[in-house]
Amino acid sequence: MVDALRRALPETGRTEPLVRRSDRADYQANGALPLAKQHGRNPRELGEVVAAAIDAPDLIAAAEVSGPGFINIDLTSEAIWRQVAARLDVDRLGIGLPLAGKRIIVDYSGPNVAKEMHVGHLRTTIIGDALARLAEALGATVIRQNHLGDWGTQFGMLIQYLNEHPEAEWHHADDADPTANVAALDRLYREARTVFDSDPDFKDRARARVVALQSGDEDTRKVWRDLVEVSAEAFDAIYERLGVSLTAADLAGESTYNHLLDDVVAELVDAGIAVESEGALCVFFDDITGPDDNPVPLLLRKADGGYGYAATDLAAIRYRIRDLKADQILYVVDARQALHFKQVFATARRAGWLTDEVEAVHVPFGTVLGPDGKPFKTRSGGTVRLMSLLDEAIAKASDVIAKKNADADPDDLAALAAATGIGAVKYADLSNNRIKDYAFDTDRMVSLTGDTGVYLQYAHTRLSSILRKAGAMTASVDPTAPMSKEERALALHLDAYSATLTEAVGEREPHRLCGYLYALARTFTSFYEANPVLKAQTDQARENRLCLVRLAKDTLAHGLGLLGIASPGSM
């Protein structure tokens, strides 16, 4: 297309026309329209000249002008079959490596020590993990960062309360569920908060305990380390069940940067970026305002000398740029923190840490709602535990799967229910545009029909079943074979996989991959219903169709894997 444009209009240089899939042809190019306007030409006439200049008989079967200057392009069947063969011959399914050499940090999940993970942690964990996997698939070196809330006033309060209530039990070393410890700590934290808010003397003792923690008092630090350790074990249990790729090696809590805070703030003060205001240390902005249009300062250090979490975030971004050598940093944090990150990024730019060579991006997301479309709460009005949600999804999936597998081994059924239940939760989240709210409805999530993770997993089992029945995969593509419209549609859709991954990463929108995989499953169904595979009329058709099935199966499994969803071989 580029060469054809240059022949038709030499002054265009190397202009790249936009070529996309079309309902009217295999592809449609729109390059003639903007160029005709730019150079004072009739767009349809220019389109006809460009179409006539296309000279690729082995690739393009027809190029015709449509409407005001669109160019409809049909490929030769042989070229499409050759592309199917090429994708089968390599392990990467045609995926490019546009991010090779890039170091990308993904900051996600970030639960709080001594508190249970709840529904509010679901989206950051699932979306962040998908973005990390996607970036790795395109060649990036990804550094995961789990920014735990493990420092601050709340720990002085909780440690002091535990010190004054030695009878309080929260260690359950023999309990099969490591989240039980954190559930107990969460309850004790709420008790400590009640005393903190009502007893001035306890408040003073708790604040003194914060000082002891920050100054390195060994007894206080020992309890704090214990809190972090048991919390990390609980988080690992949830991550394992959820099937995300975070590990203990990715933990980088607020305390990680505590020793850097003095230096970071001193650097900002010396540069005149941070200034004192009413005893506190702040950064002011002329162009950043709050909802009321009034300037909102970024608080680095409170009047009592304690650092705020903005100082920690600034220490983190400086460390990630200077020490971890990040080219891009993604902060997968809910939309309510948009103003905060705008201030942090602006401060980092003024300090010279965040340059044009490094991209810092806040990746916001909407809220998880209940099935009724209202904020998700327990019946008592409390926050919904994340583990409870996962239990519910797995139980619902078990009911659905059991109906289709009445004679299944109980252990096999339990494993399959876990894979489908967790997959259903993930897909329901990721298939929605991340910035929008969505309703957590397990009945809809585990449906075998419609745009669900279970439907895609079931499609994978159908593909696997066909290949098992075919026996050892020795089929090869014959590019001279005729091609039905359903074969063509499936092959062209498979060819768009790499571009879809690039778009999903570039826009930080995993739902683009979900949409692609759902369309793949539907396109395969249309192909399979119209084109017998194992009972094809000729050996040539059978071999080519088996190759399409194999490529569709591998692509679907790979795509589900990037979403962190299992691809069972049978259901």
Side-chain angles (χ1 to χ4, degrees):
M1 275 298 297
V2 173
D3 291 339
L5 273 175
R6 292 189 70 188
R7 287 194 290 272
L9 199 62
E11 56 268 37
T12 61
R14 298 298 295 179
T15 299
E16 291 281 351
L18 178 62
V19 181
R20 60 179 60 183
R21 292 281 286 119
S22 171
D23 293 334
R24 299 175 178 271
D26 290 342
Y27 295 97
Q28 188 176 80
N30 73 347
L33 275 72
L35 288 173
K37 183 176 181 180
Q38 181 181 347
H39 295 280
R41 299 278 296 273
N42 180 292
R44 186 171 178 86
E45 290 179 0
L46 179 59
E48 290 173 347
V49 174
V50 173
I54 295 175
D55 183 22
D58 292 338
L59 176 64
I60 296 178
E64 299 177 349
V65 178
S66 173
F70 297 111
I71 301 175
N72 290 337
I73 300 170
D74 283 318
L75 305 183
T76 66
S77 296
E78 188 169 342
I80 299 174
W81 281 128
R82 285 199 304 267
Q83 187 73 336
V84 171
R87 295 225 183 286
L88 279 172
D89 282 344
V90 295
D91 294 334
R92 291 192 53 77
L93 302 170
I95 302 169
L97 294 171
L99 298 180
K102 296 289 186 182
R103 291 174 64 83
I104 298 178
I105 291 174
V106 186
D107 180 331
Y108 65 108
S109 196
N112 292 310
V113 165
K115 292 185 180 179
E116 288 192 281
M117 289 183 71
H118 54 76
V119 66
H121 295 107
L122 183 65
R123 302 212 70 188
T124 173
T125 304
I126 292 176
I127 294 171
D129 203 60
L131 291 176
R133 293 172 189 262
L134 280 162
E136 284 177 331
L138 297 184
T141 296
V142 174
I143 302 171
R144 292 162 173 80
Q145 295 280 274
N146 193 352
H147 194 78
L148 297 182
D150 67 348
W151 202 249
T153 303
Q154 66 269 31
F155 290 98
M157 179 182 71
L158 178 57
I159 293 171
Q160 185 62 32
Y161 187 81
L162 293 174
N163 185 62
E164 295 181 11
H165 294 80
E167 76 284 0
E169 294 186 6
W170 58 276
H171 279 97
H172 302 276
D174 296 329
D175 198 307
D177 179 9
T179 64
N181 292 332
V182 176
L185 283 173
D186 203 329
R187 174 179 53 79
L188 291 169
Y189 174 83
R190 290 193 296 272
E191 293 176 6
R193 168 58 70 178
T194 299
V195 178
F196 185 87
D197 291 339
S198 61
D199 184 345
D201 291 336
F202 176 77
K203 181 179 291 188
D204 289 340
R205 295 194 299 274
R207 286 174 171 166
R209 183 67 66 174
V210 174
V211 174
L213 175 64
Q214 293 177 342
S215 61
D217 176 71
E218 185 51 36
D219 289 340
T220 304
R221 283 289 179 97
K222 184 178 183 300
V223 178
W224 173 79
R225 285 192 295 268
D226 200 10
L227 296 175
V228 173
E229 181 179 350
V230 299
S231 298
E233 290 173 356
F235 302 151
D236 280 347
I238 290 180
Y239 295 147
E240 182 177 356
R241 192 166 204 192
L242 198 51
V244 298
S245 55
L246 283 171
T247 69
D250 305 315
L251 296 179
E254 294 170 338
S255 62
T256 304
Y257 310 101
N258 192 54
H259 68 289
L260 301 174
L261 298 183
D262 288 342
D263 182 56
V264 165
V265 170
E267 187 174 337
L268 294 174
V269 170
D270 291 344
I273 297 169
V275 296
E276 189 173 313
S277 176
E278 298 181 9
L281 198 63
C282 305
V283 178
F284 290 89
F285 310 90
D286 294 330
D287 56 345
I288 299 179
T289 58
D292 57 1
D293 292 328
N294 291 322
V296 179
L298 184 66
L299 177 63
L300 301 184
R301 192 172 62 209
K302 294 174 283 188
D304 63 6
Y307 288 113
Y309 65 90
T312 301
D313 281 345
L314 285 166
I317 196 170
R318 191 185 74 163
Y319 173 78
R320 290 166 177 177
I321 294 169
R322 289 185 178 179
D323 295 77
L324 298 183
K325 309 298 183 185
D327 296 302
Q328 184 184 77
I329 311 172
L330 303 182
Y331 292 83
V332 187
V333 183
D334 75 67
R336 291 172 295 180
Q337 296 297 316
L339 176 61
H340 170 73
F341 282 111
K342 189 175 182 181
Q343 293 176 314
V344 168
F345 297 161
T347 302
R349 288 191 191 93
R350 285 165 65 180
W353 309 331
L354 187 57
T355 64
D356 292 341
E357 285 71 43
V358 182
E359 184 180 20
V361 183
H362 174 212
V363 183
F365 50 84
T367 303
V368 181
L369 306 174
D372 58 0
K374 297 179 181 179
F376 210 157
K377 298 289 184 182
T378 63
R379 290 182 179 179
S380 62
T383 303
V384 180
R385 297 175 64 241
L386 182 50
M387 191 63 91
S388 297
L389 283 183
L390 302 183
D391 288 342
E392 178 187 346
I394 291 171
K396 289 287 180 69
S398 181
D399 291 341
V400 171
I401 300 300
K403 291 177 183 177
K404 292 182 64 64
N405 300 271
D407 300 326
D409 178 271
D411 291 339
D412 292 341
L413 183 62
L416 186 56
T420 53
I422 296 301
V425 170
K426 286 187 166 185
Y427 189 82
D429 191 304
L430 295 170
S431 61
N432 285 276
N433 187 322
R434 61 171 164 76
I435 202 63
K436 296 181 179 179
D437 300 342
Y438 81 96
F440 194 96
D441 185 343
T442 49
D443 288 329
R444 184 187 64 80
M445 287 178 180
V446 300
S447 173
L448 285 166
T449 60
D451 189 6
T452 68
V454 184
Y455 171 75
L456 293 186
Q457 289 174 316
Y458 184 62
H460 181 265
T461 66
R462 291 179 65 198
L463 288 157
S464 300
S465 176
I466 294 169
L467 294 174
R468 280 197 300 271
K469 292 176 181 177
M473 183 64 182
T474 59
S476 59
V477 175
D478 181 350
T480 67
M483 176 172 270
S484 70
K485 66 177 183 179
E486 295 86 10
E487 289 172 326
R488 175 179 290 266
L490 180 55
L492 290 174
H493 189 75
L494 289 166
D495 193 55
Y497 185 51
S498 180
T500 299
L501 298 186
T502 301
E503 290 174 2
V505 171
E507 300 298 326
R508 273 77 64 174
E509 293 180 343
H511 77 272
R512 292 174 183 257
L513 173 56
C514 295
Y516 172 90
L517 296 177
Y518 179 58
L520 172 58
R522 289 174 59 87
T523 303
F524 163 73
T525 298
S526 297
F527 153 79
Y528 189 62
E529 289 175 348
N531 299 267
V533 177
L534 300 179
K535 296 182 179 181
Q537 292 183 336
T538 67
D539 290 343
Q540 182 190 53
R542 184 180 188 274
E543 295 248 320
N544 278 21
R545 289 170 187 174
L546 277 173
C547 288
L548 278 174
V549 171
R550 169 68 179 277
L551 187 56
K553 173 189 173 297
D554 290 350
T555 302
L556 182 55
H558 188 270
L560 287 172
L562 294 182
L563 300 175
I565 297 174
S567 301
S570 60
M571 287 177 66

